[in-house]
Amino acid sequence: MEKELLEDYRFGRQQLIEIWGHACAVAITKAFPLPSLPRKQPTVLVVCGPAQNGAIGLVCARHLRIFDYEPTIFYPKRSPDPLYRDFTTQCEKMDIPFLAFPLPSLPRKQPTVLVVCGPAQNGAIGLVCARHLRIFDYEPTIFYPKRSPDPLYRDFTTQFFALSGWDAEAGGSGGISPDVLVSLSAPKECARRFLGRQHFVAGRFLPYDVQKKFELNPPEYPGTECVVALRAPQQ
């Protein structure tokens, strides 16, 4: 679907990332309204990886700042992509703080670090990183949504016994169990297993022909909303 948007409908990468990042920020404002956060420190931690989802996180943080939240960004591996560097600069110019590594605010007795892994080589590096963090007495949590079929990467997975995350298609019953899920464009198969409090979808921008071709059957978006909450799953 994304390939078709870029090639046939002439969406730009920056345009799509901006749409998705803004939608994520709007969903956060609905799930966690500003008055419900602690008044002294209404902070949202945005964890960004080096690829496209990380860039979406940067845009999300910028919009949260516009919405009067106080986002803090953890971006341990910055992308060399010029577009992503621009998003980083925009956040820095808006005085959004970036956490350094190691995290200075972690509890000394049981420091916790979230390691986000992709399906390719950078993901395998993340798995090895998490294993060494455990050796260094950290308590890493791994988010590995699309596991690689590469036997070598499976070996790294086996070596680490505290994996967290979902398979993009099959989903998973263990690992990270989020309170809120935001599906960009349309939900993946794994969303069927989501049992959290709220599930938002952000696909209003999709051209009608794309919605029809991929049989999305999108929900109705009220008013001018760019995200909509889906019906809660049956418990």
Side-chain angles (χ1 to χ4, degrees):
M1 190 191 307
E2 184 176 336
K3 183 173 184 290
E4 193 155 314
L5 288 172
L6 291 169
E7 295 180 0
D8 296 344
Y9 287 83
R10 310 309 298 169
F11 278 78
R13 272 203 314 146
Q14 182 174 359
Q15 182 182 9
L16 288 177
I17 292 171
E18 186 70 29
I19 289 172
W20 288 326
H22 173 261
C24 286
V26 171
I28 289 172
T29 66
K30 293 179 178 298
F32 306 98
L34 197 56
S36 70
L37 297 179
R39 292 184 179 180
K40 293 183 178 179
Q41 193 177 12
T43 301
V44 178
L45 176 63
V46 182
V47 182
C48 300
Q52 180 169 283
N53 281 348
I56 293 171
L58 294 171
V59 174
C60 174
R62 171 160 49 82
H63 282 287
L64 286 173
R65 186 71 189 89
I66 294 170
F67 297 151
D68 293 328
Y69 287 71
E70 295 185 11
T72 296
I73 298 172
F74 181 45
Y75 193 18
K77 182 176 173 58
R78 300 197 180 191
S79 171
D81 188 309
L83 176 58
Y84 300 174
R85 287 206 303 266
D86 289 346
F87 288 135
T88 303
T89 300
Q90 291 165 14
C91 290
E92 291 172 339
K93 293 292 186 181
M94 293 187 69
D95 295 325
I96 299 174
F98 284 73
L99 288 181
F101 188 83
L103 302 182
S105 59
L106 293 173
R108 291 183 180 181
K109 291 184 179 180
Q110 192 178 7
T112 301
V113 177
L114 175 65
V115 180
V116 182
C117 299
Q121 181 174 321
N122 282 343
I125 293 172
L127 292 171
V128 175
C129 171
R131 178 156 50 85
H132 284 288
L133 285 171
R134 172 59 62 81
I135 294 171
F136 297 150
D137 294 329
Y138 283 77
E139 292 291 336
T141 296
I142 298 176
F143 181 50
Y144 196 8
K146 186 172 178 61
R147 301 188 185 188
S148 171
D150 188 306
L152 176 61
Y153 299 173
R154 285 203 305 267
D155 290 346
F156 288 138
T157 303
T158 304
Q159 292 168 13
F160 199 91
F161 57 86
L163 282 169
S164 300
W166 297 352
D167 181 276
E169 299 304 325
S173 57
I176 289 178
S177 181
D179 200 32
V180 177
L181 173 66
V182 183
S183 293
L184 303 178
S185 299
K188 293 182 172 66
E189 281 294 320
C190 63
R192 294 180 183 274
R193 298 190 177 215
F194 174 67
L195 297 175
R197 178 166 59 89
Q198 286 182 286
H199 180 189
F200 295 94
V201 63
R204 189 171 192 170
F205 74 97
L206 292 172
Y208 173 75
D209 287 346
V210 172
Q211 298 179 22
K212 184 177 179 181
K213 177 178 179 179
F214 290 95
E215 300 179 347
L216 298 183
N217 300 316
E220 285 198 23
Y221 291 80
T224 57
E225 296 285 358
C226 63
V227 301
V228 63
L230 301 181
R231 187 172 56 185
Q234 297 296 320
Q235 298 291 340

